[in-house]
Amino acid sequence: MFSVHEMKSVEEDFSRNLGSKHRFIAASKCKKLRRPPVWLMRQAGRCLPEYRLLKKRYSFLDLVRIPELAAAITIQPLHRFDFDAAIIFSDILVLAEAMGYMYRFAEGSGILMDKRLENLEQIKSLDVTLVNERLAYVSESIQLVNKYLKGEKALIGFAGSPWTLANFMLEGGSSSTFTRAWWLYQNEPLIYQRLIKKLVQATVSFLKLQIYSGVDVIQIFDSLAELIPADKYMDVSGKWINFILRQIPQTTSIVYVKGTRYLLSSLSSLESNVLGIDASIQLRDVAEKLRKDVAVQGNLDPRLLLSSPMAVEIATRRLIYSMQDRPGYIFNLGHGVPANAKIDCIDALVRTVMQFNDGDPDYS
Ligand code: CP3
């Protein structure tokens, strides 16, 4: 049976016939909902056959840069699954490109850049003034997607954290170790700061561009956070993320931190509305340690999408159930959809979240 308080929230939920976008925003404001909104990091792209078809005809960069294609790929997963949000098809590295560091995607080798940041001169000459002009295609993609979404689904824009972006730019692409940014922070802290301040400036411009173009939510990916020792996290990365958040217009914000288990003590210092949590820890335990006005997002193990629909369904129910009395929850994976994820497993995930809406007798 429901308590009076719970009944009220359920009634509100249904009587407002909460659409996807409102559900998403309500969850990020820690409103109590019958079911959490759901989307998946990397929902657009590689695991979908319709994306792979496009990849046969166009390079990854073309797909990102041609607004009609980027918009089509953003929408592809919404044709198949009943997600509450779309994430704009782009990459965190478009910002490096806009500052003169050209990149490409090579199957099997990840990201390759034409050059890497080597010295102070190069850092000084990073040009952050042309970012918005060079990324006008992202603005166009957002506008095209919004025409299709008609305000029904939340649209998510994103950027990498300055620390994560600095790692790629200092290595010249993907790396198995990513040692150079940490080296710079430890041995040349003033140069590190100089670089990070430029990246902060560029990221603020880029996020503003996305917000003014019509995204409802922004997510900052700190995907390489786990390379930082816990006691240094705020100084190396977190404080710069906060700096960005304070400079952008009022928008729902999510910070995804990979390495939650190690960095737990720092999470409450981040100033976003929502914290994205990886699969290394029980989500409920994290939520209990945070302020009640901070929402959480996550954290189903992405590897489950390689198993079976039944296993996904069980794990999904368990996760939602564990969060049921913690207002402020957005369902997601702990990291991106793996390239070899099974479509029927994603389908089982989304259906299971949706069924919570119908008051599944097992859990209500
Ligand atoms: O989430 C989405 O569906 C939107 C699109 C999106 C992409 N990249 C497209 C992409 C998003 C949100 C990103 C973010 C991104 N890009 C991150 C942070 C998130 C994370 O996964 O940690 C990082 C670190 C990058 C940099 C990047 N882009 C790498 C290291 C690679 C190669 C390895 C990989 O993950 O595939 C990319 C290429 C990339 N970006 C692909 C996609 C769909 C793969 C291209 C392909 O296989 O066709």
Side-chain angles (χ1 to χ4, degrees):
M1 286 302 286
F2 291 106
S3 68
V4 174
H5 177 68
E6 278 167 340
M7 271 316 282
K8 194 157 181 292
S9 74
V10 171
E11 272 166 24
E12 273 172 14
D13 196 335
F14 282 120
S15 65
R16 274 191 279 155
N17 193 13
L18 216 52
S20 283
K21 184 154 129 180
H22 289 116
R23 182 178 297 281
F24 201 99
I25 304 298
S28 69
K29 289 184 177 154
C30 296
K31 299 269 191 284
K32 194 163 173 37
L33 298 170
R34 186 60 178 273
R35 72 153 176 95
V38 54
W39 72 284
L40 303 182
M41 292 185 276
R42 301 291 190 108
Q43 68 188 29
R46 24 181 211 184
C47 77
L48 297 182
E50 52 273 34
Y51 168 78
R52 290 209 213 101
L53 267 181
L54 284 174
K55 268 290 287 290
K56 287 194 177 142
R57 290 176 52 200
Y58 302 94
S59 71
F60 174 69
L61 250 61
D62 283 342
L63 297 180
V64 166
R65 281 200 204 128
I66 301 171
E68 289 74 13
L69 291 174
I73 297 170
T74 303
I75 294 159
Q76 278 177 349
L78 279 80
H79 288 309
R80 279 184 185 264
F81 315 109
D82 202 2
F83 288 126
D84 292 300
I87 180 162
I88 197 74
F89 186 77
S90 182
D91 200 274
I92 64 166
L93 295 164
V94 298
L95 200 51
E97 187 193 353
M99 290 182 285
Y101 284 68
M102 189 57 204
Y103 73 101
R104 67 203 145 86
F105 170 71
E107 216 72 56
S109 324
I111 293 297
L112 302 171
M113 295 175 97
D114 285 358
K115 55 184 176 187
R116 66 180 191 184
L117 269 176
E118 298 275 2
N119 53 47
L120 181 60
E121 281 320 301
Q122 288 172 339
I123 291 173
K124 279 189 195 161
S125 60
L126 278 178
D127 187 0
V128 299
T129 58
L130 294 175
V131 162
N132 283 3
E133 208 173 293
R134 291 188 176 160
L135 295 176
Y137 60 84
V138 179
S139 168
E140 274 179 59
S141 310
I142 290 169
Q143 292 171 59
L144 286 176
V145 171
N146 265 336
K147 272 192 196 148
Y148 175 85
L149 296 181
K150 299 194 185 78
E152 282 160 22
K153 308 272 178 183
L155 181 57
I156 305 169
F158 68 92
S161 74
W163 157 257
T164 295
L165 189 58
N167 268 280
F168 279 97
M169 293 179 75
L170 287 159
E171 299 287 341
S174 301
S175 153
S176 53
T177 50
F178 285 109
T179 53
R180 285 164 54 87
W182 178 248
W183 185 93
L184 195 64
Y185 170 78
Q186 278 200 308
N187 297 288
E188 295 286 357
L190 294 178
I191 301 183
Y192 176 79
Q193 259 196 37
R194 211 162 167 151
L195 169 60
I196 291 292
K197 281 183 179 166
K198 284 223 161 169
L199 299 183
V200 165
Q201 222 184 322
T203 306
V204 169
S205 300
F206 183 37
L207 289 174
K208 278 185 177 168
L209 175 78
Q210 296 183 62
I211 293 165
Y212 294 140
S213 305
V215 300
D216 307 295
V217 177
I218 57 106
Q219 173 157 320
I220 297 180
F221 283 91
D222 204 357
S223 304
L224 298 178
E226 65 193 328
L227 298 172
I228 307 170
D231 60 335
K232 293 279 189 297
Y233 177 73
M234 285 312 288
D235 195 49
V236 176
S237 183
K239 78 172 179 203
W240 303 108
I241 293 176
N242 283 344
F243 208 80
I244 293 169
L245 293 171
R246 286 181 212 142
Q247 286 185 74
I248 56 172
Q250 192 65 43
T251 317
T252 301
S253 56
I254 307 172
V255 176
Y256 168 73
V257 181
K258 177 89 170 45
T260 313
R261 186 152 48 126
Y262 311 103
L263 301 169
L264 206 51
S265 57
S266 301
L267 290 184
S268 48
S269 305
L270 291 169
E271 293 168 15
S272 55
N273 305 114
V274 186
L275 284 170
I277 307 298
D278 72 20
S280 65
I281 195 163
Q282 297 280 325
L283 196 57
R284 180 75 225 197
D285 293 346
V286 183
E288 270 161 19
K289 292 195 171 62
L290 295 172
R291 287 197 324 268
K292 294 282 166 278
D293 61 341
V294 178
V296 290
Q297 171 179 281
N299 75 344
L300 197 75
D301 187 340
R303 291 171 296 187
L304 268 164
L305 297 181
L306 316 179
S307 65
S308 68
M310 181 61 88
V312 170
E313 186 180 331
I314 292 168
T316 300
R317 276 170 192 264
R318 194 174 290 153
L319 182 52
I320 305 180
Y321 192 52
S322 79
M323 293 298 290
Q324 213 182 8
D325 56 356
R326 202 309 186 166
Y329 175 43
I330 297 171
F331 196 96
N332 207 313
L333 301 173
H335 200 182
V337 176
N340 50 350
K342 293 181 185 164
I343 303 288
D344 55 356
C345 286
I346 302 179
D347 196 50
L349 183 157
V350 180
R351 280 176 194 277
T352 307
V353 180
M354 290 297 154
Q355 274 162 17
F356 242 80
N357 206 13
D358 301 325
D360 189 316
D362 287 344
Y363 296 97
S364 50

